[in-house]
Amino acid sequence: MAIILGIESSCDETSASICINGEIHSNVIATQAIHAKYGGVIPELASRAHQQNIIPTVEEAIRQAKVSKNQIDAVSFTRGPGLLGALLVGTSFAKSFALAQNIPLIDINHMQAHILAHFIEDPKPSFPFLCLTVSGGHTQIVLVKDYFEMELLGETLDDAAGEAFDKTAKILNLPYPGGPLIDKFAKEGNPSAYRLPEPQIPGLNFSFSGLKTAILYLVQDQLKQNPDVLTHNMADLCASVQSRIVSILLNKLKKAAKETGVKDIAIAGGVSANSGLRKSLIEMGEKYRWRVFIPKFEYCTDNAAMIAIAGYHKFLKKDFVGQDVAPMARMHL
Ligand code: KG4
Ligand code: ZN
């Protein structure tokens, strides 16, 4: 029997989860609404909100899982990458909890955890598999050889896919975080309404900065012709942008699958909640005979269930850290 408490605090979600023998029994997420007012995450405000939220969030996760604090066998926490002040809150909490309860402490890489979210529920991918991890801060194609043995095959050279969504939303006058809103408008729009360029980047790397500039010029140009374009053509604009971001992502994923011969293909991270990406990946999987793995919505965006499941797999290997562990804003896979 292994009961793991997982803690996530890398960005603007404070989350706690209880994993019992590899099964998630609670996943409580406190989202910080404060940032919408500023059009992006303000690191200092995020740290403060984490401090306010962490104890009630952990208490609620323990309550929902119907366990007692004294039954917990280990605590895993996001060590990085992320906002340093935000990570510090989760790290300090986890360290104190481990010390007070006299249980092991397990450090987790947030990007690995997004991928390991695929081991929460069946069907699970088999090793080796490919994972396209797309979040607000990262865009990576990863060859996953084992739970903690991952090779980075390609990544973004500038903006992340989530940033491309969020920055486009800003240009379109939509509030932060814009990804889910673009997704919503895109459902009603025509993806071929506006032509946007596909960057030619060598290998398996990505670039989204050129697309962002193209969108800015397109919108400025359209506004000159019709000052009401954002009211009347929002759905077409969103559908065109989303379809281009999805094609950039999936063309590279297709290339990675071809080069590696791997046929178990997964997506992870906040942008994997995007309905256009999910739909196109399923279609591509049918065409190329891949086994496709798409996380449930609650395991796409930041959550502690993925930290708890990753913690469980490190617990089985007795891979623990000491009280001298420090958070890391940057951390490789
Ligand atoms: O993984 P995540 O929750 O946090 C980070 O680790 O960054 O990802 C957040 C990102 C944001 O950029 C957000 O706009 C994007 O995921 N996102 C979406 C959707 N839901 C969240 N982007 C497009 N469509 C969505 N449905
Ligand atoms: Zn994330």
Side-chain angles (χ1 to χ4, degrees):
M1 178 92 161
I3 304 185
I4 314 292
L5 166 65
I7 309 277
E8 157 64 30
S9 75
S10 66
C11 190
D12 58 344
E13 261 99 22
T14 316
S15 181
S17 166
I18 294 285
C19 172
I20 306 178
N21 290 338
E23 266 185 35
I24 297 301
H25 284 244
S26 63
N27 180 35
V28 179
I29 303 171
T31 302
Q32 306 178 355
I34 180 107
H35 307 293
K37 221 165 88 183
Y38 301 95
V41 178
I42 309 291
E44 264 312 308
L45 296 181
S47 313
R48 243 180 270 171
H50 282 303
Q51 270 177 333
Q52 281 165 1
N53 294 342
I54 194 141
I55 290 173
T57 304
V58 169
E59 276 178 342
E60 182 59 15
I62 292 174
R63 196 190 64 77
Q64 284 185 14
K66 299 187 177 66
V67 294
S68 93
K69 190 174 71 178
N70 297 329
Q71 287 176 291
I72 295 171
D73 295 298
V75 50
S76 59
F77 66 97
T78 303
R79 183 176 182 185
L83 302 170
L84 195 58
L87 291 165
L88 198 56
V89 177
T91 305
S92 308
F93 179 90
K95 281 160 87 166
S96 331
F97 192 90
L99 194 65
Q101 296 297 114
N102 195 21
I103 55 174
L105 189 58
I106 301 169
D107 68 327
I108 299 296
N109 178 315
H110 182 87
M111 299 313 292
Q112 288 191 348
H114 269 302
I115 296 174
L116 295 175
H118 285 285
F119 293 91
I120 293 175
E121 285 181 337
D122 287 327
K124 299 175 176 112
S126 2
F127 300 116
F129 66 92
L130 282 176
C131 188
L132 169 72
T133 317
V134 271
S135 71
H138 293 81
T139 302
Q140 303 180 329
I141 295 183
V142 181
L143 179 62
V144 189
K145 298 173 183 168
D146 205 340
Y147 292 106
F148 301 100
E149 202 190 324
M150 303 187 183
E151 186 186 334
L152 184 65
L153 301 183
E155 65 184 330
T156 185
L157 304 174
D158 39 59
D159 290 350
E163 266 177 298
F165 274 104
D166 296 337
K167 288 181 178 174
T168 302
K170 226 174 205 176
I171 295 171
L172 297 176
N173 257 336
L174 297 171
Y176 176 88
L181 282 171
I182 292 187
D183 192 350
K184 196 175 130 223
F185 281 110
K187 289 192 178 113
E188 314 292 323
N190 170 11
S192 319
Y194 299 98
R195 281 176 59 87
L196 290 162
E198 174 148 1
Q200 301 303 315
I201 308 296
L204 296 173
N205 288 332
F206 301 89
S207 166
F208 289 100
S209 64
L211 177 65
K212 183 182 64 189
T213 311
I215 294 165
L216 180 67
Y217 288 157
L218 170 72
V219 172
Q220 284 174 348
D221 190 50
Q222 292 291 315
L223 277 171
K224 266 186 226 150
Q225 293 174 35
N226 171 10
D228 291 328
V229 72
L230 292 185
T231 325
H232 296 142
N233 296 26
M234 184 61 95
D236 283 351
L237 282 164
C238 289
S240 304
V241 168
Q242 177 169 301
S243 122
R244 177 51 79 213
I245 295 176
V246 167
S247 80
I248 293 173
L249 293 172
L250 290 185
N251 282 339
K252 291 288 177 166
L253 191 56
K254 187 167 76 185
K255 193 168 180 211
K258 199 170 165 214
E259 283 177 10
T260 57
V262 171
K263 286 192 171 288
D264 271 18
I265 313 281
I267 53 173
V271 179
S272 65
N274 183 267
S275 56
L277 178 62
R278 294 165 88 96
K279 186 166 163 272
S280 301
L281 179 66
I282 291 169
E283 287 165 7
M284 207 175 237
E286 281 163 6
K287 184 166 170 200
Y288 295 102
R289 296 174 183 276
W290 297 340
R291 280 210 308 161
V292 163
F293 298 87
I294 299 176
K296 257 196 186 167
F297 283 110
E298 66 248 54
Y299 302 137
C300 289
T301 42
D302 287 347
N303 67 87
M306 67 187 195
I307 306 302
I309 193 80
Y312 171 72
H313 286 283
K314 274 202 174 178
F315 182 82
L316 295 179
K317 301 193 320 158
K318 294 196 169 33
D319 188 348
F320 306 139
V321 287
Q323 281 287 331
D324 56 345
V325 66
M328 288 161 76
R330 287 170 176 275
M331 204 173 165
H332 292 297
L333 268 179

